[in-house]
Amino acid sequence: GENVEQHPSTLSVQEGDSAVIKCTYSDSASNYFPWYKQELGKGPQLIIDIRSNVGEKKDQRIAVTLNKTAKHFSLHITETQPEDSAVYFCAAIPGTYKYIFGTGTRLKVLA
Amino acid sequence: EAGVAQSPRYKIIEKRQSVAFWCNPISGHATLYWYQQILGQGPKLLIQFQNNGVVDDSQLPKDRFSAERLKGVDSTLKIQPAKLEDSAVYLCASSLDPGDTEAFFGQGTRLTVV
């Protein structure tokens, strides 16, 4: 069935360093790949997304890359700051329009 | 623009009791989703509405969970009777269209079943 794997489950980085979170998906029909940030006690919020006709997208310190052949996509955060600490979820949307979320990555940025 | 509103924020009930959650999506959003998020896991889709029709409820435990979206706007999710394993955060989300458009999430309702 449809599945999204996300790694790592936890990630600690020093402030100013980069963080990379990786996801793989199973359904080749997936064509939309959003990334959500969830802070404690809040619902997930979209931070960046990419569609299947694009290989890379960047928004200030955040970038996402997509490799359709390998069925994986990654989130890159540069110059990390303490406020980047949160749980990050990737998702893949297959032809059924159903969001399939990854298991989440808890990012800790150490000051 | 007002976001997705959910209530209550927190609920504690005993097992075998019933509970209901309410969601008001962003105005104009045709698609509404209910997700269950167990601690430490990603959100799992329970049910997806397109206007007031059900698009996907394949992962909804229909023996105890029910949901409706009357008039294609607000939605309620009910659990009856609740089990201990239903303890989770229930998230409501809405999007303008189904498919490759951003889903906006509410803050969720944290349910504890004791």
Side-chain angles (χ1 to χ4, degrees), chain A residues 31-32 36 38 41-46 49 51 89 93 96-104, chain B residues 9 33 35 37 40-43 45 48 56 58-59 91 98-103 105-107:
Chain A
N31 55 15
Y32 177 57
Y36 282 82
Q38 187 172 27
K42 297 183 179 180
Q45 278 198 302
L46 181 75
D49 56 14
R51 300 180 191 280
F89 292 99
I93 290 72
T96 54
Y97 305 140
K98 183 167 63 178
Y99 272 60
I100 309 297
F101 281 90
T103 48
Chain B
R9 285 296 314 277
Y33 312 82
Y35 285 88
Q37 187 175 25
Q41 298 181 17
L45 180 69
Q48 177 180 340
D56 188 327
S58 57
Q59 297 194 85
L91 294 164
D100 60 349
T101 57
E102 178 181 358
F105 284 81
Q107 288 190 295

Side-chain angles (χ1 to χ4, degrees), chain A residues 1-3 25-33 50-53 66 68 71 92-98 100, chain B residues 99-100:
Chain A
E2 301 139 347
N3 186 46
Y25 60 98
S26 60
D27 192 329
S28 56
S30 298
N31 55 15
Y32 177 57
F33 307 90
I50 192 168
R51 300 180 191 280
S52 58
N53 59 345
L66 171 65
K68 284 187 63 181
K71 294 184 188 174
I93 290 72
T96 54
Y97 305 140
K98 183 167 63 178
I100 309 297
Chain B
D100 60 349

Side-chain angles (χ1 to χ4, degrees), chain A residues 5-21:
Chain A
E5 294 186 0
Q6 183 171 347
H7 300 282
S9 57
T10 60
L11 178 60
S12 294
V13 299
Q14 289 293 134
E15 182 178 358
D17 286 352
S18 295
V20 180
I21 302 170

Side-chain angles (χ1 to χ4, degrees), chain A residues 75-110:
Chain A
L75 177 71
H76 305 253
I77 305 174
T78 58
E79 301 171 24
T80 53
Q81 300 168 5
E83 53 265 37
D84 294 330
S85 295
V87 179
Y88 291 81
F89 292 99
C90 62
I93 290 72
T96 54
Y97 305 140
K98 183 167 63 178
Y99 272 60
I100 309 297
F101 281 90
T103 48
T105 297
R106 182 173 299 279
L107 174 65
K108 294 182 184 177
V109 179
L110 308 171

Side-chain angles (χ1 to χ4, degrees), chain B residues 83-104:
Chain B
K83 293 185 175 182
L84 296 176
E85 58 261 37
D86 298 332
S87 295
V89 174
Y90 290 84
L91 294 164
C92 179
S94 71
S95 64
L96 199 57
D97 299 301
D100 60 349
T101 57
E102 178 181 358
F104 294 82

